[in-house]
Amino acid sequence: MRLEYKQFDFEETLREIDSVVNQELEEMTPMNQVLPISQKGGDIECAYAGAIAVSVRLSVYDNNYIAGLGKAYELLKRILLDIFRDNSNCLDIICMGRSFFFFFNTLLKSNIDCLIDTMAKLNAALTVLDMKLSEKYKIHVMGNCGCDFGELFRIRSSYKDSAEEKVFESWHGAPLNMAIIFSEHARKNDKNGTIISENVRSNIKDEYKKFFEHYDDALCGYWASLVDSDMFKWVKSNR
């Protein structure tokens, strides 16, 4: 029997073992593994994964501080990337202007809970940045996080430029589209918010579901203003 080459990943194998041994504790999500699909001129990988989109708006309410927008954006970008890299399930990160897209492995249902943890840290960071930049540079930071979970496709293509081969990757799928739509919604109650789909809500633990109690027809999802508990006291005392 001829087997296709696949590099052995010890950590992934341990997760698979744990998912079977601790099945009553760690329920696996459907079609969680990355499935390679051969295609002439490129490769396609299909997997169930989580996508988070963050749309951030920076506005200056004093023209004397317009020059500070560039520094504010670079600071914001660095902090967002640090937060998402802190999630060990992060697969890929894409930055496009004021929009940031993050893709996460969701081998187990507990991995989807981690998406909520990450977005809570995001909202806390956006709130802190808003207070700090508003005070010093008169720059207002507004943002929304959108999250969905489902079938995503990662497409790799390549071409040769002289002797160098260049590889490009792109992500496609309905969960990414929904996450972007969620993130582009106007803020509710003048707060940085988190909007999740029904698919995400049905896969998170009850402790987190209570934050997303009511379905919003206008948003086509569940909205909540979440702040990471470790940062909450600081944010509250410095409002």
Side-chain angles (χ1 to χ4, degrees), residues 6-229:
K6 179 185 177 183
Q7 185 175 2
F8 180 75
D9 188 320
F10 184 65
E11 291 186 2
E12 179 182 344
T13 302
L14 282 179
R15 288 197 296 267
E16 291 177 356
I17 293 172
D18 288 340
S19 69
V20 176
V21 175
N22 303 320
Q23 189 171 5
E24 70 283 359
L25 299 176
E26 294 282 359
E27 184 178 353
M28 295 184 72
T29 58
M31 194 180 165
N32 50 73
Q33 72 275 22
V34 175
L35 302 176
I37 303 173
S38 297
Q39 177 179 303
K40 188 175 181 180
D43 295 315
I44 300 177
E45 291 180 338
C46 169
Y48 265 63
I52 292 179
V54 184
S55 180
V56 180
R57 298 168 181 83
L58 301 179
S59 59
V60 179
Y61 50 93
D62 186 332
N63 290 336
N64 293 323
Y65 291 89
I66 289 180
L69 271 177
K71 289 183 179 180
Y73 175 79
E74 289 303 321
L75 176 62
L76 170 73
K77 178 180 176 181
R78 187 177 69 195
I79 291 176
L80 292 188
L81 294 181
D82 285 345
I83 289 174
F84 281 98
R85 279 195 291 255
D86 185 55
N87 188 322
S88 61
N89 299 306
C90 186
L91 293 171
D92 199 3
I93 299 172
I94 299 175
C95 304
M96 296 180 62
R98 65 183 178 86
S99 297
F100 303 84
F101 311 110
F102 305 87
F103 304 91
F104 295 86
N105 183 31
T106 51
L107 181 69
L108 306 171
K109 284 195 173 182
S110 60
N111 298 146
I112 303 179
D113 294 332
C114 291
L115 299 182
I116 305 299
D117 294 331
T118 295
M119 287 188 290
K121 292 177 182 178
L122 266 176
N123 285 329
L126 290 174
T127 302
V128 172
L129 281 166
D130 182 44
M131 290 187 296
K132 291 292 186 181
L133 292 174
S134 175
E135 176 185 352
K136 184 149 181 129
Y137 297 107
K138 312 302 181 188
I139 295 175
H140 193 30
V141 179
M142 300 171 288
N144 267 335
C145 302
C147 181
D148 197 7
F149 160 76
E151 192 174 34
L152 286 170
F153 298 89
R154 178 167 59 183
I155 298 178
R156 289 191 181 97
S157 58
S158 61
Y159 74 93
K160 285 191 175 182
D161 182 8
S162 299
E164 182 183 1
E165 184 177 20
K166 296 186 177 180
V167 179
F168 297 90
E169 292 186 350
S170 60
W171 289 84
H172 304 270
L176 173 58
N177 296 336
M178 285 306 302
I180 294 172
I181 291 172
F182 288 156
S183 72
E184 291 290 342
H185 272 293
R187 299 193 309 167
K188 289 182 61 175
N189 306 323
D190 197 34
K191 293 181 180 179
N192 296 319
T194 299
I195 307 173
I196 65 173
S197 67
E198 176 64 47
N199 206 14
V200 171
R201 188 179 185 277
S202 64
N203 281 286
I204 57 179
K205 57 187 178 183
D206 292 339
E207 179 186 345
Y208 289 167
K209 283 182 182 178
K210 67 183 181 182
F211 296 114
F212 302 92
E213 292 184 340
H214 305 293
Y215 183 84
D216 191 315
D217 291 326
L219 299 176
C220 298
Y222 297 84
W223 181 92
S225 180
L226 297 178
V227 178
D228 181 80
S229 58

